[in-house]
Amino acid sequence: GEDSGMGGETAGEASATDEGKEGIFLEDESTRSKYLDDLFELEAFLSQRIREEALMASLGGEMAVALKQSERMTEQIKATTSSDLRRMLDAVQNAMKELMSPRAQQILSLKLSSRYLERVARSMHDKRRIVSKMNQLIVTNERKEVESEEQLARLGPQYPKLVAYVDELKKNVEQSISELYSGRPVNIMGEINTM
């Protein structure tokens, strides 16, 4: 098999170092791809080993021992339990999840693409400007609310007088219209009646 890149410097790391590049080895697309391929392969291997362990456990004591001894396993592999395999599989899957997460992709894009970095910077600048405008609107609306409350406090005592005045006007208009239509009763409808 090929070098998994886990035990030392991979070809991608060596080329990145040789070219004087700084940063993590996953910046190199081919190294990152190889690393993920190795993780997928390791995940498949561990999943297969877990299935094999489950099969051996279901076969029973003597048959499982015979199968383990007949296989060409090292002592370290024979000593590995199902729970050890599951822990290893979880670690591999977590590493894959982190490497393929949108956050990791965004970090790599920021590191590798100046155009993407500029676009994100512009977007952040625009959002900061919008936040500033929203904060100004909040201050303006709070000031208007205070002014409205003050105006309401000033006009509050005059409200009963205004209601009485509007009610009197309504009656006068109804009477004037009634006189135009030979004394027929007239009732004005609408919001004026809800004051």
Side-chain angles (χ1 to χ4, degrees):
E2 295 179 28
D3 177 23
S4 69
M6 296 178 77
E9 193 175 76
T10 65
E13 286 177 283
S15 66
T17 306
D18 292 344
E19 294 172 14
K21 292 184 180 177
E22 294 180 0
I24 58 174
F25 69 96
L26 294 176
E27 291 176 10
D28 180 51
E29 179 68 33
S30 63
T31 303
R32 188 171 57 250
S33 178
K34 170 121 179 54
Y35 191 69
L36 282 171
D37 288 345
D38 289 346
L39 286 174
F40 280 117
E41 189 175 330
L42 185 56
E43 178 188 37
F45 171 76
L46 290 170
S47 297
Q48 179 63 32
R49 285 287 295 125
I50 289 171
R51 284 191 294 276
E52 289 170 0
E53 287 289 321
L55 177 64
M56 284 191 250
S58 69
L59 290 175
E62 290 181 21
M63 187 69 124
V65 170
L67 277 174
K68 266 197 169 185
Q69 289 176 349
S70 69
E71 294 180 23
R72 296 183 185 149
M73 293 186 189
T74 65
E75 289 303 314
Q76 186 177 12
I77 292 175
K78 288 179 185 178
T80 304
T81 66
S82 292
S83 62
D84 292 336
L85 291 170
R86 287 190 205 301
R87 261 195 321 276
M88 289 181 220
L89 181 61
D90 287 344
V92 168
Q93 289 172 336
N94 286 337
M96 291 168 59
K97 181 180 170 187
E98 288 297 319
L99 286 172
M100 294 186 300
S101 71
R103 181 77 174 142
Q105 297 302 315
Q106 186 179 37
I107 290 169
L108 279 171
S109 295
L110 286 169
K111 181 88 171 149
L112 299 174
S113 172
S114 60
R115 289 173 61 191
Y116 182 73
L117 179 62
E118 289 170 7
R119 189 170 71 234
V120 169
R122 273 194 311 274
S123 173
M124 290 178 68
H125 182 274
D126 291 344
K127 287 178 183 177
R128 219 175 316 156
R129 194 174 65 237
I130 290 169
V131 166
S132 176
K133 284 182 181 180
M134 291 296 141
N135 285 335
Q136 289 173 354
L137 283 174
I138 288 170
V139 169
T140 300
N141 286 337
E142 287 173 348
R143 190 184 65 234
K144 286 182 179 180
E145 183 180 354
V146 168
E147 290 172 359
S148 295
E149 287 173 358
E150 289 172 354
Q151 186 176 16
L152 186 60
R154 278 194 319 270
L155 296 177
Q158 296 176 8
Y159 183 74
K161 292 177 190 174
L162 289 173
V163 170
Y165 178 73
V166 168
D167 197 34
E168 185 64 33
L169 281 177
K170 178 185 159 223
K171 286 179 185 175
N172 289 339
V173 169
E174 287 174 341
Q175 185 178 358
S176 296
I177 293 174
S178 177
E179 288 174 5
L180 289 174
Y181 289 102
S182 305
R184 291 174 60 192
V186 173
N187 293 314
I188 296 177
M189 307 293 280
E191 288 183 32
I192 197 165
N193 293 313
T194 61
M195 293 183 71

